Amino acid sequence: MTDLLNSIYIIDGVQKPLSPARMLRECSVEPPLEPDGDPQTLADEQPDLKPDNFVFKESAVRTYAAAQEEGKHDLPLPFAGPCTASKVAQALIDAIWMSGHFRLGDLSLKADWKWNTREMGNAAAFYASVESACSYLDALGLKLDRYSLCNGQPSVSFKAGTVAEEEASEEEENSLFRELPYRTANPRISRRRKTHATLVPESSDWLIYIPFDSCDYRLGGSALAQATGAHPSTAPDVSDADYFIDCYEVVRELVEDGIVKAGATVGNGGLMACLRAMTEGGTGADISIRNICKAYGEESQVRVLFSEVPGVVIQIADIDYDYIDAELILQDVVYFPIGHPSASHGEVRLTEAVEIPQILESLLNTLEGED
C-alpha cells in the first residue's frame, strides 16, 4: 500500500508544505512517533468536475427522499475536504444528545480512514480530507484521541467522546477553551440518550431547526446528488467554527436541562432525512421551510431540505418556547420553528407556512438583508 500518511504530496504540480501524518500529529492528544527513513514523493491531480445539467423539481421531494434512502452514500472524492469537515461536525453533534455532563471543549474524536490510490485523484482527495479535518478541529480547539488508516474503498468516520483533563501549559491555561462553560472539571458522557430520538405525539409542541454553520445550502457531494446522478459543483463550506461553538453550547445546555423532548442530528441526507428518521416511531410532522428559504434568499426548497449542512432538529413544549427563544437570540444563534408533531399520521408533510412570533420575524428580516 502506498504510504499515504508520510509521503511528500505534489498536487496539481504544487508541493504541499506538510504531510498528512504531520498534520495529524499536530492535531492529536498523544502524537505517534516519527517514521524512520526518507519519505516518498506522491504526485497526483484533482480530477475536473463533471458538467451538470440536472434540474431538481420542487414537486418531487417525496421521490427524492425515498431515492436517497435506498441509494448508497459514498464519500464523494471531488468534495472530500468539505464533506470531511461536515462529518466532524456531525460526530460532535451526535454526542450532544447523550446523558452525562460535558461541554464541547471536553470532547475529542476518534478518526478512521479507509483509502486507496487505485484511481487518479484518490491521493489528492485523501490529502484534502485530512487537511480539512485537522483545520476544522484546530479552529474548534479540539484534538484527535486516535486515528487509523487502512486499505479499502475511500471513506472516513469520526466518533466523539470525552478525554481526561491533561496537564495544561501556561498558554493553554489562558485559552478560552480551558474556562467554563467550554470545559468542565469532571466531564462524563454516557452512550445512553438524554432525549428521545423520535417525535413525541404532542401536537402543541414545536419542532425547531438550528443549522450549526452559516454556510449556504448546496448539494455537491450529497446523498441526493448521488442517488439522482446529478453533479452539483459546490458542497456546503462547513468552516464557521466560532458559530458552531455558540450553537453547540446552548443546545447542549438545553439537552442537559431536560428541555429538549426529542432531538436528532441533521447530517447525511440533510434536513429531510433527519425529519424522516424522527417520524420512525409513528408520530408524523407537519412542517414548512418557507421561512428558511426567505432568511437565506434561497429559491429552492430542495436545496434546503437535502443539503447536508450540519445542524439539529429539536422538539420542545409550547410552554418552553419563549425561554428557548430568549436563550438562542441571546447567543446570536439563528433558529427556525418549522412545525409541529402530528399523531394523525406518521409522515413528514410539507405545508405552506408556519406562524412565527413577531420577535423572530424581525430576526429573519434582518438576516435576509445581510450579504
Side-chain angles (χ1 to χ4, degrees):
M1 178 179 177
T2 304
D3 190 354
L4 287 168
L5 284 174
N6 297 293
S7 294
I8 297 172
Y9 277 70
I10 299 176
I11 300 175
D12 295 335
V14 179
Q15 181 173 324
K16 296 297 183 178
L18 301 174
S19 68
R22 177 66 180 276
M23 290 188 287
L24 290 167
R25 280 195 292 271
E26 293 181 355
C27 193
S28 296
V29 175
E30 295 183 2
L33 297 175
E34 295 277 355
D36 295 328
D38 295 329
Q40 304 173 9
T41 298
L42 185 54
D44 198 13
E45 297 179 9
Q46 300 181 80
D48 295 330
L49 292 174
K50 299 178 181 178
D52 184 34
N53 57 3
F54 192 96
V55 178
F56 290 101
K57 299 178 181 178
E58 300 290 305
S59 59
V61 166
R62 295 174 67 88
T63 302
Y64 295 152
Q68 75 169 11
E69 287 183 1
E70 295 173 0
K72 186 178 180 181
H73 192 190
D74 296 323
L75 179 70
L77 297 187
F79 306 105
C83 287
T84 297
S86 183
K87 285 180 176 291
V88 170
Q90 290 169 36
L92 293 168
I93 297 172
D94 283 342
I96 211 171
W97 314 116
M98 301 307 169
S99 298
H101 180 53
F102 62 90
R103 294 292 179 263
L104 179 62
D106 300 313
L107 299 178
S108 66
L109 286 169
K110 294 178 174 62
D112 294 292
W113 277 272
K114 292 183 179 179
W115 224 272
N116 62 63
T117 54
R118 294 171 189 163
E119 299 179 9
M120 185 190 75
N122 281 22
F126 177 72
Y127 192 93
S129 178
V130 172
E131 184 178 42
S132 181
C134 293
S135 176
Y136 193 52
L137 283 170
D138 181 64
L140 291 170
L142 302 180
K143 294 284 188 179
L144 287 175
D145 183 47
R146 177 189 60 78
Y147 67 86
S148 67
L149 170 65
C150 62
N151 190 39
Q153 177 68 22
S155 66
V156 60
S157 62
F158 299 91
K159 185 176 181 180
T162 59
V163 294
E165 186 73 10
E166 69 274 14
E167 288 188 11
S169 66
E170 182 178 352
E171 179 180 353
E172 287 177 318
E173 286 290 358
N174 295 326
S175 168
L176 176 67
F177 297 99
R178 293 285 174 176
E179 299 174 6
L180 293 175
Y182 297 99
R183 284 202 173 196
T184 55
N186 297 292
R188 61 189 187 279
I189 185 171
S190 167
R191 290 301 160 186
R192 179 175 57 84
R193 286 182 63 101
K194 175 75 172 178
T195 69
H196 291 285
T198 57
L199 296 176
V200 178
E202 178 53 67
S203 60
S204 64
D205 285 356
W206 284 94
L207 300 181
I208 307 294
Y209 166 56
I210 307 173
F212 273 39
D213 200 278
S214 56
C215 60
D216 292 331
Y217 292 89
R218 296 294 180 261
L219 294 174
S222 65
L224 177 61
Q226 294 183 50
T228 57
H231 302 286
S233 60
T234 307
D237 180 20
V238 179
S239 58
D240 194 343
D242 289 338
Y243 188 67
F244 183 94
I245 293 168
D246 291 340
C247 293
Y248 202 97
E249 294 305 326
V250 68
V251 173
R252 178 59 199 168
E253 287 185 8
L254 295 174
V255 171
E256 282 199 17
D257 291 344
I259 295 175
V260 176
K261 299 172 69 173
T265 304
V266 179
N268 292 343
L271 178 59
M272 176 56 80
C274 173
L275 288 166
R276 284 168 69 93
M278 294 184 80
T279 62
E280 289 179 355
T283 300
D286 294 319
I287 69 162
S288 170
I289 61 167
R290 296 291 183 184
N291 290 323
I292 306 175
C293 294
K294 177 182 178 182
Y296 283 86
E298 178 58 72
E299 297 180 358
S300 172
Q301 288 196 85
V302 173
R303 277 200 290 268
V304 171
L305 286 170
F306 295 99
S307 177
E308 296 173 2
V309 175
V312 301
V313 174
I314 59 175
Q315 177 181 351
I316 62 168
D318 181 63
I319 195 172
D320 292 324
Y321 188 97
D322 289 344
Y323 170 73
I324 290 178
D325 173 84
E327 287 294 303
L328 293 173
I329 291 179
L330 180 65
Q331 297 297 325
D332 290 326
V333 170
V334 175
Y335 75 97
F336 302 93
I338 57 175
H340 305 275
S342 175
S344 64
H345 62 83
E347 303 175 339
V348 179
R349 293 185 178 178
L350 296 178
T351 60
E352 284 302 311
V354 172
E355 187 174 339
I356 58 177
Q358 184 176 359
I359 187 170
L360 183 57
E361 180 71 39
S362 175
L363 177 65
L364 295 178
N365 289 336
T366 301
L367 178 61
E368 183 183 15
E370 293 178 350
D371 292 334

